Amino acid sequence: MTRQLLVLGAGTAGTMIANKLRHRLDAGAWEITVVDRDDLHPYQPGYLFLPFGIYTPDQIHRPRHAQLADGVRFVEAEVERVDAEAHRVSLTDGRLLDYDYLVIASGTTPRPDQTPGMLGSQWRRSIFDFYTFEGANALATALQGFDHGRLVVHITEMPIKCPVAPLEFTFLADAWLHERGVRDRVELVFVTPLPGAFTKPVAAEHLGSMLEERKILLEPDFMIERIDDEAKTLVSYDEREIPFDLLVTIPLNMGADFVERSGLGDELNYVPVNKHTLQSKAHADIFAVGDASDIPTSKAGSVAHFSVEIFVDNFLELIAGKPMTGSFDGHANCFIESGDHKGLLIDFNYDTEPLTGSYPLPLAGPMALLKETRRNHLGKLAFRWIYWNVLLPGRPLPLPAHMSMAGKHAVTAATKEE
Amino acid sequence: MPVTTMAGRPIQVNDEGFLTDADEWDEALGAELAAAIGITLTDEHWKAIRFLREDFAEQGETATLRRVSTRGEIPVKRLFELFPQKPTKKMAYVAGLPKPRGCV
Ligand SMILES: Cc1cc2nc3c(=O)[nH]c(=O)nc-3n(C[C@H](O)[C@H](O)[C@H](O)COP(=O)(O)OP(=O)(O)OC[C@H]3O[C@@H](n4cnc5c(N)ncnc54)[C@H](O)[C@@H]3O)c2cc1C
């Protein structure tokens, strides 16, 4: 009898898993099915560039089914619920899918409905997000008409996917306003629930001073309670108020609602997993890979990529009745656009925060860490091609899945993470 | 690691005064830690602190503000009133738990 591997979500992680395993599982013995609600695979990192007209909308999307290897079944439907006891998934159209193993790869989604006032009278008038295709496009139009006033960039709550994207947007906005000759007529403010510009001390300090150099005001420790849409003001739980003319917010990010309905999620609908194997803590035949899990590292495509490498080898061991020997270390690797055709690179894992130094990239040569260079910017742009042509098809990329200390400047105990 | 004397016995803490061994905590010590940051514990405070302790025992991690509010059933607004300015940090301190992991 053929066995069933069912993957929920044909985004970055789900697509890579299906493709890699299709090449390594016997087609007669294993069927692989991937479910997604639509057939439009977005290159999400491109959303950052849409508001500034750097990418055009047609550079962002490709059909999902075309990214999947031959022999992978694609089902276009909305997932309703997972019945973990019955090993069965129900779709909202009434269909049922049985599985031997289930991979939850349903990612995370911005939820503006979770903050009172966000979806009020100002939504997509003076309040925008750029974490969706529609939001990024609407913001592009709004920016065209914006030449003075207070531009507030805001993070609702951590964790969010691509936690550096709000900073990148801010740097790009600063450069863009300069280019248009209106920067001195705009007050640029960065509002975050974190105590500083970023999560970890060394990176927070570097990125914080980059905000200062650009005369961008930082409002730390801001936990939003609501938006007063009539007064165009952010209000925090401790009653601080931040007025805006144009607000670019990252709404609360949450995992899929079906995760919650199925009793598989935490308070943000993320699936609690073993952080080294991505196996559900509650069910041995369920894994959560990519943004859908609760692992304590960045929610990023690079993390999805590195963790999929480990997952695939482990999965082959598991179904062969052997113990899983691979252990994911939380490795993340992110380019940060900083404006004027420059960028930074950060590289870290569960135990090591982003440090300065260099990253030994095969072929392209060493990339500078936590330092603005033109080469890092080119690396970021090259990534779109790599995403479609190397990562999604599951071709090997000569990057080790585990983080390496080679090239990094270690910090002394006194400056260690808080 | 510094050692300090509280509730009549030596307690191990880190540079910021957070307990480094959650097992050294008891409710008498909790009350003393709260007093040290100017908070007199009421039943409502205790509800939050007890939730944090139980949740930590199960999860091995300090609950986030959202978790205390959704699973512990105390509105975030109220937590800001009970533990002014930095509720997450203050609750963890009083409960003798590590600061919640910085989100990445
Ligand atoms: C603006 C922005 C910039 C970014 N920049 C970078 C970057 O520079 N570098 C980087 O590494 N990462 C970046 N990321 C993050 C990266 O895109 C994500 O981390 C990555 O796509 C996660 O992959 P995933 O497979 O977990 O989730 P996704 O790729 O989001 O896929 C989840 C899929 O599940 C489907 N789904 C969810 N619920 C259901 C349901 N009920 N029924 C059916 N289908 C469902 C969705 O339709 C979706 O296709 C960025 C993200 C954004 C938004």
Side-chain angles (χ1 to χ4, degrees), chain A residues 313-332:
Chain A
D313 288 339
N314 275 349
F315 186 74
L316 294 170
E317 289 174 337
L318 181 70
I319 59 173
K322 297 184 203 149
M324 296 188 284
T325 55
S327 174
F328 182 53
D329 66 355
H331 188 192

Side-chain angles (χ1 to χ4, degrees), chain A residues 157 199 221 239 267 297, chain B residues 66-67 77 80 86 103-104:
Chain A
E157 193 173 314
T199 47
D221 292 315
E239 282 153 27
E267 63 280 6
T297 186
Chain B
R66 172 168 294 270
R67 193 171 172 88
K77 185 82 184 168
F80 266 91
K86 300 204 177 215
C103 288
V104 273

